[in-house]
Amino acid sequence: MPSFFTAPASQRKRKRNDTAAPAAKKRSKIPTGARKPQKEIQLRASRDESISGSESEEEGRSPQGSGLEDGGDSSGTDHDGETGAERRLRLAERYLENIKEEVDEVGYDAADIDRDLIAERLKEDVAETKGRLYRRIASGYSFSSATYARFRADTHSTAAVATCPPYVYTVSKDMTLIKWEIPEPPSSPESDSTRKTATLNGTNSRKPAPSRRRPKRIACAKGNKNMVGDNTYQGHVDAILTVAASQDGRFVVTGGRDRRLIVWDAAELKPLRVFTQHRDSVTGVVFRRGTNQLYSSSKDRTIKLWSLNELAYVETLFGHQDEVTDIAALAQENCVSVGARDRTARLWKVVDETQLVFRGGGGEKKNKSLGTSFAEGSIDRVAMVDEEMFVTGSDNGSLSLWTIHKKKPIFTLPLAHGLDPPPPPEEASAEQEVPIEPLSAPQPRWITALTTIPYSDLILSGSWDGQIRVWKISDDKRRIEAVETVGRAAEQSAHSSSINGRIVDADIETPGGGATAPLHEEAKIPAVIPGIINGIAIIERGDRGKDGIYIVAAVGSEHRLGRWIKKKGKSGAVGFEVSRTPLLLKESNGEGGEHST
């Protein structure tokens, strides 16, 4: 008898059960078309049975045992048998109830709710979560009629400004950090006129509230240049160039020419930690929106990440070929920086550890009237519009609009702040016989300050022409259009004109048109902000700016990064109170709301 190992394979196989084979053959003979309806009938019957069963259970359940009146909805046992669709519906209803409670707490009546405020809020939350532009607000404010007040401080040139409502933080080149408290927004124009009328009639003895109020100085911290060699000194020993404030109001961060990055307690301006990882001047700091994650840029051509919750250094990003002059960030874990004379803007994706490089060089078209072009030598400023769009400012006066899907700007606006007239011949020449004609051609004014309201179409820029210019992104998101200037009175229309969508002074040469006066003559319009605007910050009044906005400009007689340009002006800051336009204010209180897309 052969053994198990020598037996053929056919004899070693286990034989099938005789009872199972006929059953399998019988199942295979059933047509598929007949089997499918039977399955659907069984599913439909079970579904109807479960629905009827749940209804009968609810009918037979007593109100006392339901648990809804007793707050039993919070227990997890009541929702054990619900499906995924039922759970999503229940959570959506709870979310809508929470939004209704928030709206009721603000004080809106039923008419406001009927105007789909809840639906509008949902759309805005979704758009902000996805990082898209959804607010069209640039045309909703009266910028030209804004009232202003100066921040009184005996300091050198103010280099930067940061805001955390209701506080403003300014830094200057004499190593001074000052905390200010801005005033409450003024009352509406209707209430002011009513109060004035009542005062004239003798029914009210109170004086009308003043339309212009100055900020209040809260605290101050100043460095000491004599402590240069002391590594234990927790303060600046050279000029402060940048400042940022966290959104939760806990931290204020400053960086300066002394290569120090100092974290301050925002309440009392006491230093918490001094970082010295940068190898050159710190030129920019910015918080990631809604967090305490910090990005810093430096002349050492690096970007560094910091976690202020742990007061710790995280990592360094390399890639720029020249000093990094500015940096911007929003809610996602990305940041955008500009590299001065390498003429690039870089989007850093921190999680993916990658970067996108955008090449500059815009605004170099030849000027027909002057017969010359203004080459872009350095990209100095950057501000993010949303997570996919940002805007940059250059030393040739051009504003460029970028999208992360293209390596070149989708639109470039040249000479945004016009041309700077050349110096008089007697100042430009050292010869005894002074030439009659100017020795140099007019030069473009640099973009020295740039900011936006995140996720909106509003852009603000500054230079040394004494004005903050307001721009907006077109509806198709492919152009930058001029709106007006901040704080300019009605006489601007007599001295200015709009050419190719830009507001330009009539006494200064403009691209695409001739000058009405010699180029070396100064403009006859009085400047609201004499000096160089080194920084701009915005505070939205009320819920998303519905009570107006407050604009703060850091002004100095010198550029924040050097002394190449000196202009006459008083160092400090200027605050502008910008109100809503009367039509939009009436719509928000009556028959309309803010338009959002």
Side-chain angles (χ1 to χ4, degrees):
M1 181 177 181
S3 64
F4 176 80
F5 298 100
T6 59
S10 59
Q11 297 181 9
R12 283 182 309 190
K13 289 183 179 179
R14 182 178 296 177
K15 296 183 179 180
R16 294 182 179 179
N17 191 3
D18 297 338
T19 60
K25 291 181 180 179
K26 187 175 183 180
R27 266 200 312 272
S28 63
K29 290 181 180 180
I30 299 176
T32 56
R35 215 170 32 237
K36 187 174 181 180
Q38 183 67 22
K39 187 175 182 180
E40 291 179 355
I41 292 172
Q42 293 177 357
L43 290 174
R44 188 180 298 111
S46 62
R47 190 184 307 114
D48 295 341
E49 183 179 357
S50 63
I51 293 175
S52 61
S54 62
E55 291 179 354
S56 61
E57 290 176 0
E58 290 178 0
E59 291 177 358
R61 190 182 300 168
S62 63
Q64 296 179 355
S66 62
L68 295 176
E69 291 81 359
D70 300 335
D73 185 61
S74 60
S75 62
T77 57
D78 295 341
H79 308 292
D80 290 342
E82 66 179 358
T83 62
E86 292 174 349
R87 181 174 179 274
R88 287 192 295 270
L89 178 61
R90 177 173 56 83
L91 294 177
E93 291 176 350
R94 182 181 299 176
Y95 180 63
L96 291 175
E97 290 177 359
N98 294 336
I99 293 180
K100 279 186 178 180
E101 293 177 359
E102 293 179 2
V103 172
D104 293 337
E105 290 177 0
V106 176
Y108 291 103
D109 55 5
D112 294 327
I113 300 177
D114 293 337
R115 291 199 314 262
D116 296 333
L117 287 180
I118 296 177
E120 181 182 352
R121 175 68 179 273
L122 288 173
K123 292 179 181 178
E124 292 179 355
D125 290 343
V126 171
E128 186 167 347
T129 302
K130 294 183 177 179
R132 297 175 181 174
L133 186 152
Y134 65 93
R135 301 171 62 191
R136 297 287 176 180
I137 61 176
S139 302
Y141 296 100
S142 302
F143 292 99
S144 59
S145 60
T147 59
Y148 67 94
R150 299 187 180 275
F151 291 60
R152 289 182 174 178
D154 187 12
T155 61
H156 290 181
S157 294
T158 304
V161 60
T163 59
C164 179
Y167 302 108
V168 175
Y169 302 89
T170 59
V171 293
S172 57
K173 288 189 175 183
D174 59 354
M175 303 168 289
T176 303
L177 168 64
I178 303 178
K179 178 181 180 181
W180 309 81
E181 182 181 5
I182 62 174
E184 293 294 328
S187 56
S188 62
E190 291 133 356
S191 62
D192 286 342
S193 60
T194 305
R195 192 183 297 114
K196 291 179 182 179
T197 305
T199 304
L200 293 175
N201 296 334
T203 58
N204 190 355
S205 59
R206 291 190 305 168
K207 296 181 179 180
S211 59
R212 183 183 303 173
R213 290 178 292 176
R214 297 185 182 277
K216 180 181 178 182
R217 183 168 173 171
I218 302 298
C220 178
K222 190 170 183 178
N224 188 356
K225 63 181 180 180
N226 297 325
M227 307 296 292
V228 176
D230 190 356
N231 295 329
T232 62
Y233 176 67
Q234 292 189 328
H236 283 284
V237 295
D238 206 340
I240 306 177
L241 303 179
T242 183
V243 62
S246 62
Q247 199 170 356
D248 59 0
R250 293 175 55 192
F251 305 106
V252 176
V253 181
T254 58
R257 198 178 294 160
D258 54 0
R259 310 176 184 179
R260 295 191 175 195
L261 188 75
I262 302 181
V263 182
W264 306 80
D265 178 19
E268 301 178 357
L269 292 188
K270 291 184 178 180
L272 301 176
R273 182 73 183 272
V274 179
F275 296 103
T276 58
Q277 277 84 348
H278 278 295
R279 298 185 177 183
D280 208 335
S281 301
V282 181
T283 57
V285 288
V286 64
F287 279 93
R288 180 185 167 198
R289 190 177 176 90
T291 68
N292 288 325
Q293 182 177 347
L294 183 75
Y295 304 95
S296 64
S297 61
S298 172
K299 287 186 178 181
D300 61 5
R301 301 178 293 180
T302 63
I303 307 293
K304 292 188 183 295
L305 276 68
W306 317 83
S307 176
L308 296 194
N309 290 329
E310 293 82 14
L311 293 178
Y313 160 78
V314 179
E315 64 173 323
T316 302
L317 306 176
F318 299 90
H320 277 289
Q321 303 302 313
D322 196 16
E323 59 189 36
V324 186
T325 55
D326 200 8
I327 190 170
L330 287 181
Q332 295 184 7
E333 203 164 353
N334 303 329
C335 66
V336 178
S337 60
V338 289
R341 295 199 173 275
D342 68 0
R343 299 197 306 176
T344 64
R346 296 174 185 257
L347 174 66
W348 306 86
K349 298 183 178 181
V350 179
V351 176
D352 299 336
E353 296 183 353
T354 60
Q355 57 177 297
L356 299 179
V357 183
F358 305 89
R359 302 291 177 183
E364 298 181 2
K365 294 182 179 180
K366 189 174 181 180
N367 192 300
K368 296 180 180 179
S369 59
L370 295 179
T372 183
S373 62
F374 300 102
E376 184 181 58
S378 172
I379 303 180
D380 297 331
R381 284 299 197 175
V382 64
M384 295 190 71
V385 177
D386 57 20
E387 301 292 351
E388 296 183 352
M389 297 178 66
F390 60 94
V391 60
T392 59
S394 307
D395 63 350
N396 64 344
S398 63
L399 286 175
S400 298
L401 182 65
W402 306 74
T403 177
I404 63 174
H405 306 294
K406 292 183 178 294
K407 297 298 182 180
K408 286 287 185 179
I410 60 177
F411 181 77
T412 298
L413 181 73
L415 301 178
H417 283 259
L419 294 171
D420 200 24
E426 57 271 12
E427 295 183 6
S429 176
E431 300 293 336
Q432 293 182 355
E433 295 181 0
V434 179
I436 300 176
E437 297 182 357
L439 298 178
S440 60
Q443 296 297 318
R445 298 187 179 103
W446 305 354
I447 305 298
T448 57
L450 188 64
T451 190
T452 62
I453 292 182
Y455 311 110
S456 75
D457 61 340
L458 182 63
I459 302 173
L460 299 180
S461 65
S463 186
W464 58 78
D465 58 347
Q467 308 167 33
I468 297 177
R469 302 201 182 233
V470 185
W471 316 89
K472 72 173 182 178
I473 299 176
S474 61
D475 294 338
D476 58 357
K477 300 181 182 180
R478 299 191 65 86
R479 294 178 60 85
I480 298 177
E481 300 175 352
V483 180
E484 53 186 331
T485 55
V486 178
R488 295 293 294 274
E491 69 266 13
Q492 174 186 349
S493 60
H495 299 274
S496 300
S497 60
S498 178
I499 298 179
N500 297 331
R502 284 174 282 111
I503 299 176
V504 293
D505 294 339
D507 292 335
I508 297 177
E509 178 65 26
T510 61
T516 60
L519 293 176
H520 61 273
E521 293 184 5
E522 290 289 341
K524 302 302 187 296
I525 307 174
V528 174
I529 311 175
I532 302 175
I533 302 176
N534 287 320
I536 304 174
I538 303 176
I539 294 178
E540 294 188 74
R541 301 285 202 180
D543 184 15
R544 306 192 182 189
K546 291 188 176 180
D547 295 335
I549 58 176
Y550 191 81
I551 303 174
V552 186
V555 186
S557 59
E558 301 174 354
H559 192 274
R560 70 184 186 103
L561 297 180
R563 305 182 68 181
W564 315 290
I565 303 173
K566 298 193 70 174
K567 295 292 180 180
K568 293 182 180 180
K570 189 174 182 181
S571 300
V574 182
F576 292 88
E577 192 72 54
V578 183
S579 61
R580 299 284 291 273
T581 56
L583 178 61
L584 198 60
L585 186 62
K586 183 178 179 181
E587 290 179 352
S588 61
N589 295 330
E591 299 180 354
E594 185 182 75
H595 174 67
S596 62
T597 58

